[in-house]
Amino acid sequence: MSTFALKSIDRGKKSHRQWADKDLVKIFHANLNGISHPADENRKIHPFWDVECLLVAKNWEKGFLSALQQTDVAVLFLSHDCLQKIKKADVYPDNVLLEWEEALQRYPSQELIIFPILVGRKKAFDSFDFLDYPDNKHCHPRSPKVLTIRKVVKEIFQIQGESVVELSGKKLEESTTKLLNTLSKVARHHETQSTEPLTRVVITSSQDHQLRDILRPLDREMRAERTRLLNAHVANTRLWLLKYLIEFLNPTGDKTDRVLWLQGNAGVGKSVMAAFAADELEKRNLLAGMFFAKHDDVGRNSARNLIRTLCFQLCEWNAEFGRMILEKSSDEVFKREALRDNANIEKMFSHLILVPLRKVEKSNTKPIVLVVDALDETGMLGFRTEILQVFSVYWQTLPSFVKLLITSRPEDDIVKAFEGLETKKLEATAAENREDALIYSRHFLRKHDFKVANLDNLANLLLEKS
């Protein structure tokens, strides 16, 4: 687990990569090899990988350190296993740590861009603590011995980078594509020596912990709930919803809707649809946050927890947004009006979502979507006036790239508040729902191993009797 770097061939310099999760690095190497440099189409990128570039019978350490000295961008792959080995580097030499030390030697002068990538699920890093690392120098004989091991690790983690959650299949390819796009942006920014600040995609580990302490988000619960709901989704159903969403995000003519309300009675599958929509939007890098409310869960039926969670997810979507929240968190007015458990809902929304989104408007051009499922379960009838006001009125004052997908039952106060908003009524008798029901019926019959001559006829019969 180590360094992968890129450099244009034209200047005669190389790019370096020693070892990391093999599949991830293989895809990275294949995607980078021979493509045009982000800052100059006439130059090509030369990614250095020891498997491809180091010569047989040559000194391995000299080879990879030489390549690292000649590169412009070093991509550091950080995994849980890699970090565990570094904890013993004051006794046992570690080549990964040696690469990090060498990279940090060139980093302060901006000769080298360091781009860290956390590999693996976030929970593997949740217990991360700098104090677990020795406050001693690296014992490797080639170590520059400028910083202690703890300081080296801390310096690396303070540099913003990216994260890869899935390490297999389609998710790996999607994550790699996203990383390549981000890496190109970093390289272009560095190469052109732009004076404009570069908006990083990911907040640092320490910032993540601070924001969790401040906001107390339910983002992990939301991801778990989405996974649970997706398990109930049958393939090839709700495709009409995806088409509807794409049209909503790319309006034609004078349509400028910011909110899409999916309304339907109990049992039509609103929550599964919301989970499906969130998953598809995330695949397209359009999802910025999601919340699945639940009336009998004291955490998930709270409008304040809804706003806190969406705010935290927006911090993960845009690091600049996250830094604004951190900077304001020591302000007494902010703490009173945005963070207290009894804070006014409208003021919370203004501090935690409205104001910071307006400030990042110039740095964002493509739409983002926040998904809120079961809004009717965030409070009893007559006690959710504030949150309805937020979503029906104040949401329209957000930057135009921010979209909202809401599902709920058509209860009187919600119908009144959402009058005039883009609305899709979910009816069991609608043509698209009937087609989905047929697909589900066939799926159910196959799952339970029904062996009949005409599965479609039986599926139609089940649908008529339901």
Side-chain angles (χ1 to χ4, degrees):
M1 185 105 333
S2 182
T3 310
F4 182 87
L6 61 94
K7 176 61 193 172
S8 63
I9 290 176
D10 305 54
R11 296 184 185 174
K13 295 183 180 179
K14 299 177 180 178
S15 303
H16 173 63
R17 151 79 182 97
Q18 187 265 329
W19 185 89
D21 287 85
K22 190 173 181 180
D23 290 343
L24 179 64
V25 177
K26 186 175 181 180
I27 293 175
F28 240 76
H29 183 265
N31 277 278
L32 285 173
N33 200 19
I35 67 173
S36 296
H37 193 284
D40 185 350
E41 292 184 358
N42 296 318
R43 294 158 54 197
K44 301 295 183 182
I45 288 174
H46 177 68
F48 183 93
W49 187 13
D50 62 334
V51 173
E52 299 284 340
C53 302
L54 289 181
L55 300 175
V56 177
K58 295 294 183 181
N59 184 288
W60 175 76
E61 284 183 359
K62 287 183 178 179
F64 81 71
L65 289 178
S66 173
L68 183 59
Q69 287 297 321
Q70 297 180 70
T71 191
D72 274 354
V73 181
V75 183
L76 310 181
F77 291 83
L78 285 63
S79 74
H80 181 264
D81 289 344
C82 153
L83 292 168
Q84 292 303 309
K85 294 175 182 177
I86 289 176
K87 290 178 181 179
K88 301 176 182 178
D90 57 339
V91 179
Y92 303 103
D94 188 280
N95 285 317
V96 171
L97 182 62
L98 180 61
E99 292 181 347
W100 293 9
E101 290 179 291
E102 292 291 338
L104 285 173
Q105 291 289 295
R106 297 181 57 210
Y107 180 70
S109 62
Q110 297 187 339
E111 293 177 8
L112 176 74
I113 294 173
I114 296 178
F115 191 82
I117 297 176
L118 293 181
V119 179
R121 299 193 174 277
K122 285 188 177 181
K123 65 181 181 181
F125 297 93
D126 285 345
S127 60
F128 181 82
D129 190 340
F130 294 120
L131 296 178
D132 292 339
Y133 294 84
D135 201 22
N136 301 319
K137 301 289 179 64
H138 189 189
C139 70
H140 198 294
R142 295 184 68 97
S143 167
K145 293 182 170 52
V146 174
L147 303 174
T148 65
I149 296 168
R150 182 182 301 170
K151 183 65 174 174
V152 170
V153 174
K154 191 171 184 177
E155 290 285 327
I156 294 297
F157 268 78
Q158 286 177 339
I159 301 170
Q160 295 179 39
E162 258 288 9
S163 61
V164 177
V165 175
E166 299 287 347
L167 289 177
S168 61
K170 188 177 180 181
K171 287 286 186 182
L172 173 59
E173 293 186 12
E174 291 171 355
S175 296
T176 307
T177 300
K178 181 181 177 183
L179 291 174
L180 287 169
N181 291 337
T182 306
L183 186 58
S184 294
K185 183 179 178 183
V186 173
R188 187 182 296 110
H189 185 274
H190 177 72
E191 190 76 14
T192 57
Q193 296 183 331
S194 172
T195 57
E196 291 294 317
L198 177 66
T199 302
R200 301 289 186 169
V201 175
V202 175
I203 54 178
T204 66
S205 177
S206 61
Q207 288 171 337
D208 180 275
H209 286 296
Q210 291 176 60
L211 287 165
R212 286 189 181 281
D213 289 341
I214 293 166
L215 297 169
R216 294 165 288 156
L218 301 180
D219 60 304
R220 292 163 181 161
E221 290 87 338
M222 295 306 109
R223 289 201 166 272
E225 180 64 6
R226 183 180 66 173
T227 299
R228 186 188 72 79
L229 290 167
L230 284 173
N231 288 333
H233 176 254
V234 175
N236 298 317
T237 62
R238 307 308 187 193
L239 298 181
W240 59 266
L241 174 60
L242 186 57
K243 181 181 178 182
Y244 197 85
L245 271 173
I246 292 171
E247 291 174 355
F248 171 66
L249 294 175
N250 300 279
T252 57
D254 297 329
K255 295 187 70 175
T256 57
D257 297 296
R258 310 279 183 85
V259 181
L260 172 59
W261 177 31
L262 301 182
Q263 63 152 277
N265 293 317
V268 297
K270 297 186 297 296
S271 293
V272 173
M273 282 190 236
F276 170 68
D279 190 55
E280 291 296 325
L281 289 166
E282 187 169 60
K283 290 175 182 177
R284 292 161 174 77
N285 292 325
L286 295 171
L287 182 71
M290 59 185 173
F291 193 91
F292 298 90
K294 190 171 178 60
H295 71 94
D296 58 356
D297 185 314
V298 293
R300 290 167 56 190
N301 66 12
S302 164
R304 292 179 179 85
N305 284 344
L306 186 161
I307 292 175
R308 290 190 192 105
T309 300
L310 292 182
C311 174
F312 178 81
Q313 292 167 332
L314 285 165
C315 292
E316 291 195 315
W317 161 74
N318 186 296
E320 182 184 353
F321 186 106
R323 285 191 291 271
M324 280 188 269
I325 298 298
L326 286 174
E327 288 169 4
K328 294 289 291 183
S329 63
S330 59
D331 180 80
E332 290 301 322
V333 174
F334 181 87
K335 287 194 286 188
R336 182 175 66 252
E337 295 186 349
L339 303 179
R340 284 186 179 177
D341 289 336
N342 63 349
N344 175 276
I345 298 293
E346 294 169 10
K347 288 183 178 179
M348 278 188 74
F349 175 77
S350 178
H351 284 295
L352 297 180
I353 295 179
L354 177 61
V355 172
L357 271 177
R358 283 178 175 173
K359 290 183 178 178
V360 300
E361 181 175 9
K362 291 182 180 179
S363 63
N364 192 78
T365 56
K366 72 175 184 177
I368 60 168
V369 184
L370 293 112
V371 176
V372 176
D373 175 56
L375 181 64
D376 53 295
E377 300 192 32
T378 58
M380 299 292 290
L381 182 66
F383 292 91
R384 52 188 177 221
T385 305
E386 290 178 325
I387 193 64
L388 289 178
Q389 183 82 351
V390 162
F391 288 137
S392 63
V393 179
Y394 296 139
W395 201 272
Q396 308 297 334
T397 66
L398 286 172
S400 59
F401 69 85
V402 185
K403 308 287 186 177
L404 176 66
L405 171 64
I406 291 179
T407 74
S408 82
R409 299 182 190 187
E411 298 192 354
D412 291 345
D413 59 334
I414 301 178
V415 172
K416 184 178 180 180
F418 286 178
E419 185 179 0
L421 296 183
E422 177 76 11
T423 304
K424 173 67 176 176
K425 293 184 179 180
L426 306 173
E427 299 173 330
T429 56
E432 63 263 21
N433 274 331
R434 181 176 176 82
E435 181 60 33
D436 285 345
L438 278 172
I439 295 172
Y440 178 82
S441 297
R442 296 187 197 106
H443 168 80
F444 176 85
L445 293 170
R446 291 192 189 96
K447 184 178 179 181
H448 290 82
D449 203 27
F450 277 83
K451 299 185 183 300
V452 294
N454 195 326
L455 200 63
D456 284 350
N457 284 346
L458 182 56
N460 275 295
L461 181 62
L462 281 174
L463 189 59
E464 290 172 7
K465 296 294 183 181
S466 63

